[in-house]
Amino acid sequence: MLSLEELAAIDDFRFKHRMPTRAAAVRELLKFGLAAVGVDAAAGVKSSSFGVFGRGPDGHTQGDPDGGTEN
């Protein structure tokens, strides 16, 4: 959820850079932000690489199926 001011800033960026959609502008801004903090968001990088929790080979959270943690 964004405030009206945040939406206006995204729309200003979008129109200034002649972007087709708000989503395209958000993706570009995210790319700039990640690059600014030194994260390489190049093609081929999976979103799970940026997750908080560990993921198994099938994309599921690793751990005990009963809710415990893995040793």
Side-chain angles (χ1 to χ4, degrees), residues 7-45:
L7 284 174
I10 290 170
D11 286 340
D12 288 347
F13 175 85
R14 172 188 170 196
F15 296 124
K16 181 178 180 180
H17 295 280
R18 299 175 182 241
M19 304 189 100
T21 64
R22 186 180 280 162
V26 169
R27 282 191 295 273
E28 191 70 10
L29 289 165
L30 285 170
K31 187 173 78 173
F32 290 151
L34 289 170
V37 296
V39 175
D40 181 13
V45 176

Side-chain angles (χ1 to χ4, degrees), residues 9 53 63:
F53 301 105

Side-chain angles (χ1 to χ4, degrees), residues 40-47 49:
D40 181 13
V45 176
K46 294 183 178 184
S47 60
S49 299

